Amino acid sequence: MLYPPVRVCDRTYCMWQRLLHDRGDHKQVSVFTLDRGVREALYVNLLCYDCRTTYHHNYVVHGGVRTYYAGIPEVIQVAKSKFICRHVLSLFTTLSLLLWTSTTNAGHVYHEALSLLDDVDRVDAAYRLHAEHVWDGFTVLALLRDAGEHGFPLCVPHSGQQKDRFVLAMEERNARMRCAGQPEYPHWCTRCHCRFDHADGGASYVDAVVCDGIQIGRSCCRVAHCVNPLASTQDHYCLAHRSRSLVCVIDGCEDHAEEGHRAVEDRYQMMDKAAFHLGARLQRSQVAQPSDSVNPSAPVDEAVELDLADLEELAFPITPASSVPLTPAFFNASTQELIEQKFPHSDTRPRMVIFNNGCRDLIGLPVDVFHWKCKHKQSDDACSVHCNPYNFPNLLNPDGRTWYFNMSIAKQTNAIVREMTAVKYDFFLDEMIKQRNCLTCERLNAHSDLPGYRHIRLTRTS
């Protein structure tokens, strides 16, 4: 039976704090465990007659607000009649982190490998996990961890639709991440900091971050530098610029997209039906994980092809030790703007920035070795001279032939593309980066690379 964890009202606003009473509305629910498959349980709510607070297994409800208990419960409610064990949710998180598994496929993995159902129960909808259940479990688990780390309770509306219940809480965490960065923001280790001993007995240090100006991320308004959210992930323009959807999409053309002025779109639709285009799409589909491996013909709701013009340009700043100190949130920002926005304080700013397309901004940043060797002609002085990594001796090992920092780490890390709402995408990406950083620090500890944190001196600005 799933009871609330308390038997006496513990709310500070309750004057009496007496014994709680069984409401009598017991429910049959399904519990998705890691080692015992799907189990049935009885769900019991308790009520305080004095303050009218209802106690559930994961949370209390008072005044239309759902307040979760402190800590991480063993099972987390994801629907009215479905609970998932936290170890299963941790498995789903790891699948997304390491194997890029969609929420739909995570549900399939559990059903096929862990449910332990017989042939009769396997077709029962009460014993199946769908994408929304996996996502809600992932969200609640991440929010509870975040609330515990910062010492405040998780509070969400109790009424309304389930899909909107955690939006405000996710927005608050997203804003905090944008302001303060990831916990690994002041990261330090021997892999991303290099010490140079001088002849006079002194020493200096060089640290670096590696950026790859690759376009990934969530849908955004097609109007350049517009940060307004889209009403739907299928929209091309936000509400403020929705009138632009009636204008021709060809650059420089301001005519209305009316009949007789849609030759390009007609051509695009014709190509979409052509066999060669479908063949190319099939070839691309073999590169990434499908959203639904069991039913590939199902409507795609997560991993879809997106027009790069509709994507927010995200460039991960990544340390050579492969930790990600910051959450990217740049709308067509230049390299210099990227660094100034994400490293505003001198104590946090790396001494060396290695940027894949640094030569396009002509600011003298070293580019990664692959870019320098393969992306330009040898006669291109802008990159070959000003951005040549060999011009920066602090990047080299003492042997003068090998590189101290891994300059391709950004290409090895930027590999997540999902179509979600802006809030969900930012939240998911923040959590994936945070969990990946935890794995990175564990690996650094195992290799005696001394991961730690730098002291940051913040100066007050007038």
Side-chain angles (χ1 to χ4, degrees):
M1 297 181 71
L2 297 178
Y3 271 97
V6 297
R7 296 294 182 270
V8 176
C9 184
D10 60 357
R11 301 295 99 179
T12 58
Y13 50 77
C14 182
M15 296 180 60
W16 301 102
Q17 298 186 342
R18 297 173 178 173
L19 189 68
L20 300 175
H21 299 269
D22 190 343
R23 296 183 60 183
D25 54 347
H26 302 171
K27 298 179 182 178
Q28 196 77 22
V29 298
S30 300
V31 181
F32 297 81
T33 69
L34 183 62
D35 56 345
R36 295 185 298 163
V38 184
R39 314 290 290 184
E40 290 185 343
L42 202 61
Y43 183 52
V44 179
N45 298 331
L46 301 179
L47 176 66
C48 176
Y49 284 167
D50 297 305
C51 64
R52 311 305 298 176
T53 298
T54 304
Y55 284 75
H56 298 257
H57 185 70
N58 288 160
Y59 52 84
V60 301
V61 178
H62 180 76
V65 177
R66 178 184 297 185
T67 304
Y68 282 79
Y69 305 118
I72 308 297
E74 287 299 316
V75 295
I76 293 178
Q77 186 175 10
V78 297
K80 288 184 177 180
S81 59
K82 293 184 179 180
F83 289 75
I84 304 179
C85 288
R86 64 182 180 92
H87 297 296
V88 176
L89 293 175
S90 296
L91 172 64
F92 292 160
T93 302
T94 304
L95 289 175
S96 296
L97 178 63
L98 301 180
L99 300 179
W100 311 337
T101 305
S102 68
T103 53
T104 301
N105 280 336
H108 291 324
V109 168
Y110 185 90
H111 189 70
E112 299 298 330
L114 300 174
S115 63
L116 304 181
L117 297 172
D118 56 32
D119 293 338
V120 176
D121 291 335
R122 284 177 64 85
V123 297
D124 193 332
Y127 303 138
R128 289 202 70 111
L129 287 177
H130 297 290
E132 59 270 20
H133 303 139
V134 177
W135 169 256
D136 286 342
F138 168 86
T139 303
V140 173
L141 180 60
L143 288 174
L144 286 175
R145 286 172 178 163
D146 182 68
E149 292 169 0
H150 292 86
F152 57 77
L154 172 61
C155 300
V156 297
H158 184 63
S159 58
Q161 297 184 1
Q162 178 71 6
K163 67 181 184 65
D164 301 324
R165 193 179 312 280
F166 303 100
V167 171
L168 183 58
M170 288 190 290
E171 286 180 341
E172 292 176 351
R173 177 195 155 137
N174 293 346
R176 190 168 61 253
M177 281 289 189
R178 285 193 295 268
C179 179
Q182 289 281 339
E184 292 301 313
Y185 180 57
H187 171 81
W188 186 99
C189 76
T190 57
R191 288 199 180 188
C192 54
H193 286 70
C194 180
R195 171 173 171 159
F196 290 88
D197 295 318
H198 304 303
D200 59 1
S204 61
Y205 291 87
V206 173
D207 57 340
V209 294
V210 185
C211 299
D212 187 17
I214 187 174
Q215 281 190 320
I216 66 173
R218 55 177 170 83
S219 301
C220 67
C221 181
R222 291 181 67 98
V223 175
H225 305 292
C226 177
V227 298
N228 296 330
L230 300 178
S232 168
T233 55
Q234 306 302 319
D235 292 342
H236 293 284
Y237 295 96
C238 65
L239 295 178
H241 299 109
R242 179 162 290 182
S243 60
R244 295 289 303 174
S245 60
L246 303 176
V247 179
C248 179
V249 297
I250 301 300
D251 290 340
C253 181
E254 296 296 326
D255 294 338
H256 284 275
E258 300 172 346
E259 292 294 333
H261 193 78
R262 300 176 59 178
V264 174
E265 182 177 354
D266 293 341
R267 171 63 177 168
Y268 176 81
Q269 292 178 352
M270 181 184 68
M271 290 177 61
D272 193 50
K273 300 177 182 179
F276 71 86
H277 189 77
L278 296 177
R281 179 172 295 181
L282 176 61
Q283 184 178 8
R284 289 195 300 271
S285 69
Q286 295 172 351
V287 177
Q289 298 279 13
S291 177
D292 191 339
S293 297
V294 175
N295 184 17
S297 61
V300 177
D301 61 350
E302 287 185 286
V304 300
E305 293 185 63
L306 297 177
D307 184 354
L308 290 182
D310 293 343
L311 292 179
E312 175 186 347
E313 183 171 320
L314 304 181
F316 287 107
I318 302 171
T319 67
S322 78
S323 68
V324 184
L326 301 160
T327 301
F330 317 112
F331 289 81
N332 303 309
S334 67
T335 310
Q336 187 168 355
E337 291 172 339
L338 183 153
I339 299 303
E340 290 176 351
Q341 289 179 23
K342 287 305 179 181
F343 298 98
H345 304 289
S346 58
D347 285 349
T348 66
R349 192 167 299 166
R351 298 171 180 85
M352 198 68 66
V353 178
I354 304 165
F355 193 74
N356 179 33
N357 295 324
C359 57
R360 72 180 182 180
D361 293 326
L362 298 178
I363 59 176
L365 292 179
V367 297
D368 67 80
V369 178
F370 176 81
H371 176 97
W372 179 69
K373 289 183 175 181
C374 304
K375 295 294 185 70
H376 294 287
K377 297 179 180 179
Q378 294 183 357
S379 59
D380 190 334
D381 292 339
C383 183
S384 297
V385 176
H386 301 293
C387 300
N388 189 335
Y390 286 94
N391 288 335
F392 300 85
N394 288 342
L395 297 179
L396 290 166
N397 277 315
D399 59 15
R401 294 178 299 173
T402 57
W403 303 100
Y404 186 87
F405 301 116
N406 180 1
M407 298 187 188
S408 299
I409 190 65
K411 285 185 174 63
Q412 299 164 5
T413 303
N414 291 343
I416 302 175
V417 177
R418 291 287 187 268
E419 184 194 22
M420 300 178 182
T421 62
V423 174
K424 281 188 175 182
Y425 183 88
D426 290 346
F427 181 83
F428 175 81
L429 190 59
D430 284 338
E431 186 63 21
M432 289 294 99
I433 292 174
K434 183 179 178 182
Q435 295 302 321
R436 186 182 187 280
N437 286 343
C438 291
L439 294 180
T440 299
C441 289
E442 291 178 2
R443 176 173 54 83
L444 293 173
N445 266 318
H447 290 89
S448 301
D449 289 316
L450 307 178
Y453 301 99
R454 293 180 294 179
H455 176 68
I456 300 176
R457 294 173 298 176
L458 301 180
T459 57
R460 179 176 298 178
T461 59
S462 56

